[in-house]
Amino acid sequence: MPFQDCICFRLGKAARKVTKAYREEIATHGLTHGQFFLLIAIMEAEGLLPSELAERTAQERPTITGLLDRLEKESWIERKPDPRDRRALRIYLGSRGKASRTALLTLFEETNQIFLDRLTPAEWAQMQSMLVKLEA
């Protein structure tokens, strides 16, 4: 089998194309790819613990901590004490995150749609099913 038919090669190549489509627009906001998708996850569900964000974004906890540190320094997010457990900090959008919410969600949705438009709804459902199998 030629290396171009290797599943790892194909998935990597597709992932790089999708990432590149986001990269230029994300950069105009001063964000990295990882920061951008973490912000999108926070926008979908504010008030999560860092461990919950790590699980939700399939990232390691130390990676999330580093991303959150940088986002907090630039006012994208805020860490607030959990009212039920003062040892825990929950993650919310900061002033910059709130101000950029609409622009970032639009960027996310429009770029994602560019790729979804290449598939029929049935193909997308089948692809999601296949990806879940590979992740298992």
Side-chain angles (χ1 to χ4, degrees):
M1 164 183 11
F3 81 91
Q4 294 96 336
D5 292 338
C6 170
I7 191 166
C8 185
F9 178 79
R10 289 278 182 183
L11 288 172
K13 185 175 177 183
R16 284 188 297 281
K17 286 241 182 204
V18 173
T19 299
K20 184 179 178 188
Y22 280 99
R23 186 174 292 128
E24 289 179 17
E25 291 296 322
I26 292 169
T28 65
H29 295 279
L31 295 168
T32 67
H33 189 259
Q35 291 170 334
F36 174 74
F37 282 101
L38 182 56
L39 276 171
I40 296 299
I42 294 166
M43 289 175 185
E44 287 183 356
E46 284 192 76
L48 294 177
L49 296 168
S51 59
E52 293 169 325
L53 284 167
E55 184 177 320
R56 188 179 191 103
T57 61
Q59 301 263 355
E60 297 294 323
R61 177 69 197 274
T63 301
I64 291 296
T65 300
L67 290 170
L68 291 173
D69 288 345
R70 288 185 292 282
L71 289 170
E72 186 175 38
K73 278 183 194 169
E74 297 175 12
S75 301
W76 287 102
I77 61 110
E78 295 177 352
R79 290 175 166 116
K80 295 182 182 178
D82 184 324
R84 288 168 275 150
D85 180 357
R86 64 182 183 199
R87 297 168 297 163
L89 296 172
R90 296 203 170 263
I91 310 302
Y92 296 88
L93 290 177
S95 58
R96 196 166 174 190
K98 289 174 187 173
S100 301
R101 180 185 189 102
T102 300
L104 293 180
L105 287 173
T106 299
L107 166 60
F108 170 73
E109 291 166 6
E110 288 178 354
T111 305
N112 191 53
Q113 196 61 49
I114 289 168
F115 292 94
L116 290 180
D117 286 346
R118 297 176 185 181
L119 304 170
T120 66
E123 288 171 332
W124 175 231
Q126 185 179 24
M127 183 175 176
Q128 286 178 302
S129 175
M130 288 181 208
L131 291 171
V132 167
K133 280 184 180 181
L134 290 174
E135 291 170 10

